[in-house]
Each structure stands twice: as structure tokens, then as C-alpha cells.
Amino acid sequence: MTWLFLDETRRLRTCWRFVLFGFGFLFVQIVVSLVVGVGFVVYLIATGDSPNGLLVDPKLLEKWTIPLQIIAAVPMTLGTLGCVLICRRYLDRRSIWSLGLGRPKRGFATCLTVGFMAGFGPVVFVIGLLLLVGGLKWTGFSGSLQTVLLIPTFVVMAFFEEILCRGYLLQNLIDVRRPWFGVIFTSLVFWLLHGLNPAAWSSPLIGLNLFGAGVTLALAYRVGGNIWFPTAMHFGWNLAQGVVFEVPVSGLHTDGLIDVRLAEGASVWLTGGDFGMEGSALTTLAEIWLSVLLGGLLLKSPRQLSGEADVFID
């Protein structure tokens, strides 16, 4: 029966390692959420507000969602990174550098600036097009302390999702020669990570686009040969939505610099509705274009395509 749990190298099979990693990941999320949540309740009581008001008035909870995520971002990411490093070293028996944490490679296709622009540019194009066709309307300029704090928060959260989905899960499946299954599996995980966000199930396009974003970022990880390239792309994508433009980031409303609002009567399939542009058909087209471009680059590298060897450098 040992073959059910151990592979030919006497290492725990990938599925069981994923199960143990999943428990560790959930433990981190629960602990950090409890600590931040208790701290938030104490703050409300200290300032004379009743925590019961959160249950009565959903808008009050929505008001605090982004500030709480800003507070939780660093401990959540550090806890997850610790879980990843421990599992990589002691369950996977692999170097932590094999996650893609080494120095970024040089070259146009893997440059961090290119990665950032590959995420930033399509969002600006889609929002600009929506403004042009009347799906969105410009209402002015604003900004606050939250706008400034969102910049490092988006960096941290982009790394959090990339080290989890692409760094740990995808790399493990590349290690066992299942790179394309890994792209599909981690894209599903990426979609489900956003499944509890506001309006996440309001349109079939949202699930399609979240899955598509996972595919695009997985291809970016394969092409870049490190975790930093998809992280830069992920950061650029979120920065354009939530900081440069005041567009919901996966259903979460932020305080951006350029205020845009849904035009009255605009089609949800075009604008994405309350979830933001990640529910738009235009975003679907942008993701297809990015995936084709990255897939073309990947096809030029047979070793990366087949998953025959680690593509990372120390």
C-alpha cells in the first residue's frame, strides 16, 4: 500500500503533499483573519461603534473591506510564504530557489518592466475603450491615503497569489511532468480564490475571465522563468484598475485617482457590472491576446514547454 502514498523516490506523492499544504494554507488564513478581525472589533468598541452594526448595515462592512485587506496583506503573505518554503523544503525535498525566487533573467521577454506593462497596458486599453463607447463615464479626479497604501498592498498581494498558485502549485506539477495540467489546475484555484468576492457569481464571464487570468499568469511564469515576471504583470493589472482608475478590482471598490462610473443602462457583458472590468467581454479578448502572445514565446523554448527541467536560476 505504500505506493499509494509514496513515489519511486520514497517521497510523498504530489496529491498528498497538496493536501498537507492546503491544511497549512487554510491555517494561516484562519489565524490571520481571526487576529485582524478581533483587532477590528476591539477598535470599533474603543471608538464607540457597535460591532453589531456590521450585521445590520452591509455598506458599513463594505467600507472597511479595503482597509482590513491593507492591514492583513503583509501578515497573510508572510504566513503563506512561510508555509510554501517549509513544504517546498521538507515535503517536496526541493530547493526554495526552484520556486522561481532567484534573480530575474535578462532579456526583453522576461524584463520586469515588460511584465508590468503587459498587465498595465491591456487594462488601460479596455477602460479607455469602455469610456469611448459609453460603457463607463468619467466623473473627475480624487485620491486619498488609501490610494497611496494600495500601491504596496497590490505588490504584496500580487506576490501572495503568484507564490501560491504559480510558485508552489504549478511548479510542483511541472516537477512531475504535468505542466499543462498544472496550468489548468492552478487557473481553477486562482478562480476559486476570488469566488467569495462581491458579485463574483453575477455573470458567467467573471468566472471565465478569472480562469483566463490564471492561464495568462501561468504562461507568464513559464516564459519568465521566475516568480517576478507574473508578479509584475499581476501588479500592473491591479494598479491600473484600483489606483490609476477607480474601477473595482475583482469586485472590491477602491479609491483611485481617475474616477469612472458605470454608465446608466450599460450592458453588464460589456462593462463587467459591479465586479468591474474583469467581468467584461473586452477583458476576455485581452486575455486571449496575451495568452496567445505568451504561448508563442513558450513554444520557442522546448524545455520550458515540456517541463523537462527547472527553468529557474539561482
Side-chain angles (χ1 to χ4, degrees):
M1 287 293 290
T2 56
W3 63 268
L4 184 62
F5 298 98
L6 303 177
D7 62 19
E8 60 276 6
T9 66
R10 308 297 293 175
R11 185 177 68 158
L12 202 61
R13 291 193 179 276
T14 305
C15 60
W16 299 114
R17 287 186 277 115
F18 277 7
V19 168
L20 292 176
F21 172 76
F23 279 119
F25 174 74
L26 287 176
F27 176 77
V28 169
Q29 309 310 299
I30 291 170
V31 169
V32 174
S33 297
L34 283 175
V35 171
V36 173
V38 170
F40 177 51
V41 170
V42 170
Y43 170 80
L44 289 177
I45 295 173
T47 55
D49 293 326
S50 172
N52 294 330
L54 298 173
L55 302 175
V56 178
D57 185 5
K59 290 186 178 180
L60 184 60
L61 181 60
E62 183 179 336
K63 169 190 171 184
W64 284 102
T65 298
I66 295 297
L68 289 174
Q69 289 209 347
I70 291 174
I71 293 170
V74 171
M76 194 78 78
T77 301
L78 289 177
T80 300
L81 178 60
C83 182
V84 166
L85 296 182
I86 290 171
C87 289
R88 190 62 175 167
R89 179 67 181 84
Y90 296 103
L91 285 182
D92 303 342
R93 300 180 192 171
R94 297 290 186 269
S95 163
I96 62 172
W97 301 112
S98 63
L99 296 168
L101 292 169
R103 186 181 72 254
K105 292 179 179 180
R106 295 180 179 179
F108 177 80
T110 55
C111 174
L112 296 188
T113 304
V114 174
F116 173 81
M117 291 308 300
F120 186 87
V123 173
V124 173
F125 178 78
V126 168
I127 293 176
L129 194 56
L130 288 171
L131 287 168
L132 186 64
V133 301
L136 296 174
K137 59 180 180 179
W138 170 63
T139 60
F141 297 94
S142 67
S144 64
L145 177 62
Q146 181 191 114
T147 311
V148 177
L149 292 176
L150 278 172
I151 297 175
T153 300
F154 281 152
V155 173
V156 171
M157 292 309 295
F159 176 74
F160 161 75
E161 293 182 3
E162 294 311 308
I163 196 64
L164 169 65
C165 293
R166 265 60 68 174
Y168 188 76
L169 298 178
L170 178 55
Q171 184 56 42
N172 257 294
L173 290 167
I174 291 173
D175 288 346
V176 294
R177 310 297 188 264
R178 299 290 186 274
W180 292 111
F181 172 74
V183 170
I184 296 171
F185 175 75
T186 55
S187 299
L188 285 171
V189 172
F190 184 76
W191 168 27
L192 294 175
L193 282 175
H194 298 80
L196 295 179
N197 286 17
W201 301 93
S202 60
S203 165
L205 275 175
I206 293 172
L208 177 65
N209 285 345
L210 288 173
F211 178 83
V215 171
T216 302
L217 290 165
L219 292 174
Y221 176 75
R222 300 295 312 284
V223 169
N226 59 71
I227 200 68
W228 311 118
F229 186 65
T231 298
M233 182 184 292
H234 199 149
F235 169 63
W237 184 277
N238 288 341
L239 184 78
Q241 292 181 89
V243 173
V244 176
F245 292 95
E246 195 171 301
V247 174
V249 181
S250 300
L252 300 174
H253 294 263
T254 64
D255 187 10
L257 296 174
I258 303 174
D259 300 336
V260 293
R261 298 289 182 270
L262 287 172
E264 188 175 346
S267 299
V268 173
W269 69 266
L270 181 65
T271 64
D274 290 335
F275 195 76
M277 56 150 285
E278 290 173 342
S280 168
L282 295 176
T283 300
T284 309
L285 297 176
E287 289 176 349
I288 291 173
W289 178 79
L290 281 171
S291 295
V292 169
L293 180 63
L294 291 166
L297 292 172
L298 189 59
L299 286 171
K300 294 181 180 180
S301 178
R303 291 183 68 189
Q304 287 179 297
L305 182 64
S306 63
E308 289 179 3
D310 284 345
V311 296
F312 307 111
I313 56 175
D314 291 344

